[in-house]
Amino acid sequence: AQKVTQAQTEISVVEKEDVTLDCVYETRDTTYYLFWYKQPPSGELVFLIRRNSFDEQNEISGRYSWNFQKSTSSFNFTITASQVVDSAVYFCALSDIQGAQKLVFGQGTRLTINP
Amino acid sequence: EAQVTQNPRYLITVTGKKLTVTCSQNMNHEYMSWYRQDPGLGLRQIYYSMNVEVTDKGDVPEGYKVSRKEKRNFPLILESPSPNQTSLYFCASSLSFGGNTEAFFGQGTRLTVV
């Protein structure tokens, strides 16, 4: 069965600090996709990234970066030089062939950036 | 603009009073689904539809119904709402299923059943 674990329920940092959100997943499939979504206080879900299981290259997008490690089944998300606008709940999600009709979400990490 | 539209955004209702949350997408997507979000549980799938007249249960379908009579619409029906269905609901659509295409989410519907 598929499972996504975000062990950090809440994180609070001061602005300009770097912060890493952890995501560990379980799947028996060799082909799968991993996602990160941001949910700002307004409530909508904002797509951040999709990564397939065959692409282990790390990705950087501005202050955001993602570290995908198949060996540890992790897909961690780092925000560099955090800003107050980064405050949100962040979800990691998995989709694989076995459960192809859905996204399996982690519990979410509430990130608070204090000025 | 490509979007998934849910209505209403907020709803407070009483136990047992039937309600429908509408979902519409303008991207000609075949695949649509409903999720509920609860604290500490993330989002869980309620129902999904792979095309018109094709629907199936997700992980938490009890107490919900759906229909897919048109490709663009996928309403969520609560025939007899109960307080444990108080939650934040999201509709999503994608071109296909399997994770290799992006899922577009609606703005969410916050439902309170008293």
Side-chain angles (χ1 to χ4, degrees), chain A residues 3-103:
Chain A
K3 185 178 179 182
V4 175
T5 302
Q6 296 178 254
Q8 304 152 306
T9 305
E10 295 191 28
I11 300 175
S12 181
V13 301
V14 176
E15 199 172 19
K16 298 183 182 176
E17 286 186 18
D18 299 347
V19 57
T20 296
L21 282 61
D22 297 333
C23 173
V24 175
Y25 62 91
E26 295 177 26
T27 176
R28 292 179 180 169
D29 285 338
T30 56
T31 301
Y32 52 89
Y33 298 85
L34 295 164
F35 304 77
W36 276 95
Y37 286 88
K38 174 182 180 180
Q39 186 176 48
S42 50
E44 74 273 21
L45 286 167
V46 178
F47 168 81
L48 295 178
I49 190 172
R50 177 179 69 245
R51 175 52 54 88
N52 75 56
S53 53
F54 299 107
D55 182 3
E56 286 194 71
Q57 277 197 339
N58 291 334
E59 178 143 348
I60 299 174
S61 176
R63 296 183 296 106
Y64 295 172
S65 62
W66 290 269
N67 183 351
F68 176 30
Q69 291 198 333
K70 287 178 79 168
S71 60
T72 56
S73 297
S74 65
F75 187 43
N76 297 337
F77 173 33
T78 297
I79 301 175
T80 302
S82 60
Q83 299 176 2
V84 173
V85 294
D86 296 326
S87 296
V89 179
Y90 290 86
F91 290 99
C92 180
L94 162 75
S95 177
D96 61 18
I97 301 301
Q98 182 182 1
Q101 284 75 35
K102 68 181 178 186
L103 288 166

Side-chain angles (χ1 to χ4, degrees), chain B residues 96-110:
Chain B
S96 63
F97 53 91
N100 59 345
T101 59
E102 179 185 343
F104 291 79
F105 284 86
Q107 322 93 302
T109 295
R110 189 168 294 280

Side-chain angles (χ1 to χ4, degrees), chain B residues 5-19:
Chain B
T5 304
Q6 292 178 229
N7 280 297
R9 292 289 311 277
Y10 302 92
L11 179 60
I12 301 175
T13 190
V14 296
T15 299
K17 185 176 181 181
K18 181 179 177 180
L19 66 92

Side-chain angles (χ1 to χ4, degrees), chain B residues 82-94:
Chain B
S82 62
N84 65 12
Q85 292 179 297
T86 293
S87 187
L88 178 59
Y89 292 87
F90 287 97
C91 178
S93 76
S94 57

